[in-house]
């Protein structure tokens, strides 16, 4: 008989049976180490499901597979209790933080086509979580852009991303497949439970009525084969059903009173099978892929427990100890891998927290210029990219870190939006000013007063330059309208000048020819005749007309010839000065009125200077009134006073002459513009 049994097992009817038991060599573990099994493929290398190890379990405890998760789901629906079917499976979840929205949608499309829906469950959920993280951030950016364009108002904001609709459709497709799978699993679990309970009933009957040894053993082997292929059952029934099965197997052996030779053969066969499992487990110690080794180890535990019978007492403890030791070593390697991944996640966590701190620090910077803000925006955008590429963080703080990141970015965007909201107010004011200038330019563009309007248009253009930025969507249009109005006026001005300039060019050619003739003029020696001849040349020169502004240098050449002729005449200094001034004054009157005004101001200043000098000299005489009249110093002072008085009279005559000319100009019709004022 089999010796080692648990104190409490249940028979097929669910009644407690004292003294019945279970042994380590049967694969059973203490209650605090048991994790329910589900069917796994017979070939361990073909396992696709990753098994999860829950905290507190022994390293060799089998984990939940895809079907075990389905079992839990079915139990949850049946018992209305929340089971842990959302625990991680053996699938390795990549880091999707660096994926774009398009790449995440493509990844989901690939995962949806997986044959086993639960084999990709964690990856699908991670893709969905990452997609919505990035999508929400994308929408926040679009909302900020909308707010910037609408003075901070987001009331009418809407944004539709076709990719999200496509993504949601793919996820719904996966969810429907998963739900259909769960319904099928629930049905299969119930069917498998019925099969296993039927097998137990048959085994129970066989144990109670074993007669023919050969036939009974054959029937038991058939029942064990059927049991092996019966499939998974609901989790809450697992211990009860499996314990009952093994209990009745042992009862069968006890009832048959097998001879030692037959039992030893069975023990030997089971020992050989378990030694093969131990050998394969030892090979797994050198497997580079720790997760793959761990998955196969779970399959070996299932085979050990469910497919291989007991061994003799002398080998039970030894082979189980070997198998347990190997299991612990593989578990330690996996724990080391998990710890390494955990360390990496903690490093990622610190990195992401540093990024969040940097974004918060940037948001507190006091920036008052657009260019400076553009620099901050670029820095935050770079930090955002760095955050998304920083890698996964521990799951328990993932939501906390993501919330802190969103809050930091939202805070920065709030400060930025406040700045640009104020800028938009200024830009609206600038727009109103520029629109007013456009309206004024349009009013003046057809004016016939070229001189007055030219000055005003130039002033408008200068004012335009001083006005700051306007909203981007209006800047091109308002500039186009303003430029068109200005160009229209100056095109008309150019046409008007082109017609007037033809006469000026002809006058320049005439003066150029006359200048050549004047170079050969010789004085006769008769003062009066020579002076009259020079004055006649001056009058003739004036009748030749006005020359273009760019060629007025010819007037300077004419003045140089006159200066040379005056120097040869025996005129008084004042007379010579006044003749030259009169000629120069006529030239000034022919040009820009500002030059004539400047000359008048210059003469007035000279008068003030000379009067001041005379006053100073006369004041000095008062201090030396007791000096003799023939004193050389006194004589020199009186001579200086007389010279200054003569000079003062000359300057006053010049002022009188220039005022007379200015008065004539004021009474005369306006002249043509003399310079190009367009920009």
């Amino acid at each position: 008989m089999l010796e080692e049994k648990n104190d409490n097992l249940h028979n097929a009817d669910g009644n407690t049976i004292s003294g019945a038991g279970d042994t380590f060599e049967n694969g059973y573990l203490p209650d605090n180490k048991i994790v329910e099994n589900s069917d796994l493929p017979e070939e361990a290398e073909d396992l696709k499901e990753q098994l999860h190890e829950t905290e507190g379990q022994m390293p060799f405890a089998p984990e939940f597979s895809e079907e075990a998760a389905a079992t839990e789901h079915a139990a949850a629906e049946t018992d209305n209790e929340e089971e842990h079917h959302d625990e991680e499976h053996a699938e390795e979840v990549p880091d999707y933080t660096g994926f774009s929205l398009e790449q995440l949608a493509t990844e989901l499309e690939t995962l949806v086509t997986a044959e086993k829906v639960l084999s990709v469950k964690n990856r699908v959920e991670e893709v969905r979580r990452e997609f919505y993280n990035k999508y929400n951030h994308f929408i926040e950016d679009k909302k900020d852009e909308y707010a910037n364009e609408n003075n901070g108002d987001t009331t009418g904001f809407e944004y539709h991303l076709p990719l999200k609709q496509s993504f949601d459709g793919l996820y719904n497709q996966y969810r429907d497949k998963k739900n259909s799978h769960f319904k099928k699993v629930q049905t299969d679990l119930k069917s498998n439970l019925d099969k296993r309970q039927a097998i137990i009933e048959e085994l129970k009957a066989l144990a109670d009525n074993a007669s023919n040894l050969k036939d009974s053993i054959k029937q038991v082997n058939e029942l064990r084969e059927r049991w092996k292929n019966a499939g998974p059952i609901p989790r809450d029934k697992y211990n009860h059903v499996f314990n009952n099965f093994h209990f009745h197997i042992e009862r069968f052996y006890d009832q048959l009173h097998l001879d030692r030779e037959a039992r030893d053969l069975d023990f030997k066969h089971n020992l050989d099978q378990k030694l093969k499992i131990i050998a394969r487990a030892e090979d797994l110690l050198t497997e580079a892929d720790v997760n793959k080794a761990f998955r196969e180890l779970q399959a070996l535990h299932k085979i050990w427990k469910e497919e291989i019978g007991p061994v003799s007492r002398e080998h039970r403890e030894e082979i189980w100890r070997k198998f347990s030791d190997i299991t612990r070593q593989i578990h330690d390697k996996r724990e080391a891998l998990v710890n390494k991944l955990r360390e990496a996640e903690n490093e990622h966590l610190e990195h992401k927290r540093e990024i969040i701190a940097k974004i918060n620090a940037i948001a507190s910077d006091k920036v008052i210029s657009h260019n400076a803000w553009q620099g901050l925006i670029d820095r935050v955008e770079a930090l955002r990219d760095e955050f998304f590429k920083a890698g996964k963080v521990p799951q328990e703080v993932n939501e906390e870190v993501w919330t802190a990141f969103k809050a930091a970015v939202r805070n920065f965007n709030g400060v930025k939006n406040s700045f640009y909201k104020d800028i938009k107010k200024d830009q609206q004011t600038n727009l109103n000013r520029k629109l007013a200038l456009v309206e004024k330019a349009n009013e003046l563009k057809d004016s016939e007063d070229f001189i007055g309007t030219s000055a005003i248009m130039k002033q408008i253009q200068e004012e335009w330059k001083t006005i700051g930025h306007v909203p981007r969507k209006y800047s091109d249009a308002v500039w186009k309208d303003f430029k068109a109005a200005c160009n229209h006026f100056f095109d008309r001005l150019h046409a008007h000048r082109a017609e007037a300039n033809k006469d000026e060019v002809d006058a320049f050619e005439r003066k150029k020819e006359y200048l050549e003739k004047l170079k050969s003029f010789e004085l006769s020696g008769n003062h009066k005749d020579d002076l009259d001849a020079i004055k006649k040349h001056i009058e003739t020169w004036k009748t030749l007309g006005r020359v273009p502004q760019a060629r007025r240098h010819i007037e300077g050449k004419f003045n140089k010839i006159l200066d040379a002729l005056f120097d040869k005449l025996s005129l008084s200094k004042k007379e010579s000065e006044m003749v030259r001034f009169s000629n120069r004054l006529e030239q000034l009157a022919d040009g820009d009125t500002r030059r004539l005004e400047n000359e008048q101001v210059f003469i007035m200043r000279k008068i003030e200077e000379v009067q001041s000098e005379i006053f100073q000299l006369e004041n000095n005489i008062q201090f030396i009134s007791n000096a003799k009249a023939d004193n050389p110093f006194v004589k020199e002072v009186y001579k200086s006073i007389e010279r200054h008085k003569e000079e003062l009279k000359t300057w006053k005559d010049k002022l009188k002459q220039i005022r007379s000319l200015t008065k004539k100009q004021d009474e005369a019709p306006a002249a043509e513009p003399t310079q190009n004022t367009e920009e």
Side-chain angles (χ1 to χ4, degrees):
M1 293 179 63
L2 299 176
E3 290 83 356
E4 297 183 12
K5 299 182 179 180
N6 289 334
D7 292 334
N8 295 299
L9 286 180
H10 304 276
N11 60 18
D13 299 324
N15 299 318
T16 303
I17 304 174
S18 299
D22 186 15
T23 62
F24 276 1
E25 51 89 9
N26 275 333
Y28 298 145
L29 305 176
D31 290 340
N32 66 332
K33 301 167 188 170
I34 291 178
V35 178
E36 308 302 345
N37 291 283
S38 62
D39 262 3
L40 296 173
E42 292 186 5
E43 296 299 327
E45 290 80 357
D46 294 334
L47 289 175
K48 300 300 181 184
E49 300 82 17
Q50 177 155 0
L51 304 170
H52 173 66
E53 176 182 326
T54 56
E55 188 174 358
Q57 292 174 333
M58 292 295 288
F60 46 81
E63 296 187 85
F64 294 110
S65 68
E66 170 188 317
E67 292 171 328
T71 300
E72 295 177 25
H73 179 83
E77 291 190 344
T78 315
D79 301 334
N80 196 26
E81 296 178 357
E82 183 179 357
E83 298 291 339
H84 301 291
H85 59 275
D86 286 330
E87 292 179 343
E88 293 182 2
H89 299 276
E91 55 173 313
E92 297 181 12
V93 180
D95 183 3
Y96 292 113
T97 54
F99 280 44
S100 65
L101 289 173
E102 291 76 10
Q103 289 172 324
L104 290 169
T106 302
E107 178 72 2
L108 180 61
E109 185 176 8
T110 301
L111 294 174
V112 167
T113 61
E115 182 177 352
K116 296 182 179 180
V117 292
L118 291 185
S119 69
V120 295
K121 172 184 174 295
N122 289 347
R123 277 179 285 172
V124 168
E125 294 304 326
E126 183 67 14
V127 166
R128 183 172 183 268
R129 187 188 67 79
E130 194 63 37
F131 182 90
Y132 271 92
N133 283 348
K134 285 185 166 59
Y135 171 76
N136 290 335
H137 209 88
F138 174 80
I139 291 299
E140 287 175 5
D141 287 346
K142 292 297 180 183
K143 192 172 184 179
D144 288 341
E145 292 178 8
Y146 183 88
N148 289 337
E149 295 175 357
N150 294 274
N151 296 324
D153 183 16
T154 59
T155 305
F157 172 75
E158 286 186 9
Y159 193 90
H160 300 286
L161 183 66
L163 183 64
K164 180 182 179 295
Q165 185 176 359
S166 173
F167 184 90
D168 288 342
L170 289 169
Y171 183 78
N172 290 337
Q173 180 182 344
Y174 169 79
R175 186 180 58 189
D176 293 342
K177 288 178 63 177
K178 186 174 65 173
N179 290 340
S180 298
H181 172 77
F182 283 150
K183 290 179 181 179
K184 181 179 182 301
V185 166
Q186 185 178 8
T187 302
D188 291 344
L189 291 175
K190 187 176 183 307
S191 175
N192 295 340
L193 177 61
D194 293 340
K195 291 178 183 178
R196 290 186 184 270
Q197 287 177 337
I199 293 172
I200 291 173
E201 290 298 321
E202 293 182 40
L203 182 59
K204 178 181 177 182
L206 189 62
D208 290 339
N209 301 295
S211 55
N212 186 295
L213 177 61
K214 183 176 180 181
D215 291 342
S216 296
I217 292 177
K218 180 179 179 182
Q219 292 179 49
V220 168
N221 288 335
E222 289 176 353
L223 290 175
R224 291 178 68 177
E225 186 65 24
R226 285 167 56 195
W227 180 268
K228 183 176 70 174
N229 298 322
I233 62 176
R235 178 183 181 184
D236 59 333
K237 306 293 184 182
Y238 182 85
N239 278 343
H240 173 73
V241 172
F242 273 76
N243 287 343
N244 273 317
F245 176 74
H246 286 283
F247 168 72
H248 289 297
I249 286 287
E250 292 181 356
R251 282 188 62 233
F252 170 75
Y253 278 97
D254 289 342
Q255 293 294 332
L256 287 180
H257 300 287
L258 292 176
D259 60 67
R260 191 161 202 66
E261 183 179 354
R263 189 172 65 174
D264 287 348
L265 286 175
D266 191 48
F267 282 170
K268 184 176 184 301
H269 171 75
N270 295 340
L271 178 61
D272 290 341
Q273 295 298 313
K274 291 190 175 182
L275 289 176
K276 289 180 181 179
I277 289 179
I278 292 174
R280 177 55 189 158
E282 288 177 337
D283 292 339
L284 294 179
L285 290 173
T286 60
E287 171 62 50
D289 188 339
V290 178
N291 284 326
K292 178 181 177 183
F294 188 80
R295 291 195 298 269
E296 186 170 344
L297 178 66
Q298 310 313 305
L300 295 177
H301 269 276
K302 177 176 174 58
I303 296 171
W304 182 289
K305 177 178 179 180
E306 297 186 11
E307 299 183 16
I308 304 176
V311 300
S312 63
R313 177 192 267 294
E314 61 184 292
H315 297 298
R316 289 176 188 173
E317 184 176 350
E318 179 184 358
I319 63 173
W320 178 247
R321 180 182 54 77
K322 288 183 179 179
F323 193 33
S324 298
D325 288 344
I326 295 171
T327 298
R328 287 188 178 88
Q329 292 181 56
I330 294 176
H331 170 77
D332 291 342
K333 291 178 66 176
R334 186 168 183 266
E335 276 296 306
L337 177 62
V338 170
N339 290 336
K340 184 177 180 181
L341 294 175
R342 187 74 174 184
E343 289 177 4
E345 289 180 349
N346 287 329
E347 290 177 0
H348 300 161
L349 174 61
E350 291 303 316
H351 186 194
K352 287 191 173 184
R353 284 175 173 167
E354 289 175 1
I355 292 173
I356 293 171
K358 288 179 181 179
I359 294 176
N360 284 326
I362 290 174
S364 65
D365 286 351
K366 303 299 181 183
V367 177
I368 59 174
S369 70
H370 169 70
N371 289 337
W373 266 107
Q374 290 303 307
L376 294 186
I377 291 171
D378 291 341
R379 286 171 59 191
V380 170
E381 190 63 30
L383 288 172
R384 278 186 55 196
D385 293 340
E386 187 177 347
F387 182 89
F388 288 131
K389 296 175 181 177
K392 296 176 66 176
V393 300
Q395 187 66 32
E396 62 270 18
V397 297
N398 183 67
E399 190 63 30
E400 172 193 339
V401 173
W402 173 246
T403 301
F405 173 70
K406 288 195 297 184
V409 174
R410 190 178 295 111
N411 179 43
F412 171 79
N413 288 336
V415 178
K416 177 194 67 177
N417 292 342
S418 177
F419 170 79
Y420 280 103
K421 186 176 181 180
D422 293 338
I423 282 186
K424 284 190 175 295
K425 291 180 182 178
D426 295 339
Q427 289 183 346
Q428 187 62 41
T429 301
N430 295 339
L431 176 62
N432 294 336
R433 290 178 61 190
K434 286 193 173 183
L435 288 174
L437 294 182
V438 171
E439 183 178 359
K440 190 173 183 180
N442 281 323
E443 291 174 356
L444 296 173
K445 67 180 182 179
D446 293 316
S447 173
E448 296 296 331
D449 179 10
F450 290 105
I451 295 178
T453 304
S454 178
I456 296 174
M457 291 295 276
K458 186 173 182 180
Q459 181 183 358
I460 290 175
Q461 290 176 336
E462 290 297 327
E463 184 178 352
W464 182 280
K465 294 177 182 178
T466 64
I467 300 175
H469 294 288
V470 302
R472 183 178 300 177
K473 59 183 178 181
Y474 301 116
S475 60
D476 291 342
V478 72
W479 167 247
K480 182 179 179 181
D481 293 343
F482 181 70
K483 184 179 179 181
C486 291
N487 287 347
H488 178 80
F489 171 77
F490 285 112
D491 286 344
R492 292 178 58 246
L493 177 62
H494 289 157
H496 179 78
R497 281 182 174 173
E499 183 178 353
N501 284 348
K502 184 176 182 302
D503 295 336
E504 292 180 353
V505 172
D506 292 341
F508 174 76
E509 294 298 329
R510 291 194 295 270
K511 284 189 174 183
K512 187 177 179 181
E513 294 176 3
Y514 192 82
L515 199 61
E516 293 298 324
K517 294 179 182 178
L518 187 59
K519 288 179 181 179
S520 60
F521 174 74
E522 296 290 342
L523 295 175
S524 64
N526 185 302
H527 175 79
K528 184 177 181 305
D529 292 341
D530 289 337
L531 182 58
D532 290 340
I534 292 174
K535 289 182 177 180
K536 186 175 181 181
H537 283 304
I538 293 174
E539 292 300 322
T540 302
W541 182 265
K542 293 177 181 178
T543 62
L544 295 178
R546 187 170 61 183
V547 301
Q549 181 71 22
R551 301 182 181 183
R552 291 185 64 82
H553 60 275
I554 197 170
E555 301 293 343
K557 293 181 179 181
F558 178 69
N559 289 335
K560 286 183 179 180
I561 294 176
L562 290 183
D563 289 342
L565 293 175
F566 281 129
D567 289 341
K568 294 178 181 180
L569 288 176
S570 56
L571 294 175
S572 65
K573 181 178 180 181
K574 179 180 179 181
E575 186 179 12
S576 175
E577 180 72 19
M578 291 305 297
V579 173
R580 295 180 184 181
F581 178 74
S582 178
N583 177 60
R584 183 168 177 271
L585 198 60
E586 292 293 337
Q587 293 175 0
L588 289 174
D590 229 10
D592 189 354
T593 55
R594 285 181 297 181
R595 295 177 63 192
L596 195 61
E597 293 172 356
N598 292 339
E599 184 69 19
Q600 182 174 340
V601 171
F602 173 75
I603 292 174
M604 292 172 67
R605 287 178 179 173
K606 293 301 293 184
I607 290 174
E608 290 177 359
E609 290 176 5
V610 175
Q611 285 177 335
S612 178
E613 287 290 333
I614 293 173
F615 176 78
Q616 185 64 40
L617 290 171
E618 289 178 344
N619 190 48
N620 292 340
I621 289 294
Q622 299 297 324
F623 289 103
I624 56 175
S625 56
N626 57 351
K628 294 181 179 181
D630 59 350
N631 186 301
F633 177 73
V634 174
K635 288 182 179 181
E636 185 61 33
V637 171
Y638 279 115
K639 287 181 181 180
S640 181
I641 290 173
E642 289 301 321
R643 287 196 304 271
H644 279 83
K645 287 182 176 180
E646 287 294 325
E647 183 181 358
L648 178 62
K649 188 175 185 307
T650 301
W651 284 116
K652 287 183 176 181
D653 289 343
K654 288 182 178 181
L655 181 60
K656 182 178 180 181
Q657 190 173 349
I658 198 171
R659 283 177 173 173
S660 176
L661 181 60
T662 302
K663 184 178 180 180
K664 290 180 181 179
Q665 281 190 335
D666 292 340
E667 295 173 352
E672 295 292 338
T674 58
Q675 62 176 340
N676 188 354
T677 58
E678 74 273 20
E679 296 190 0

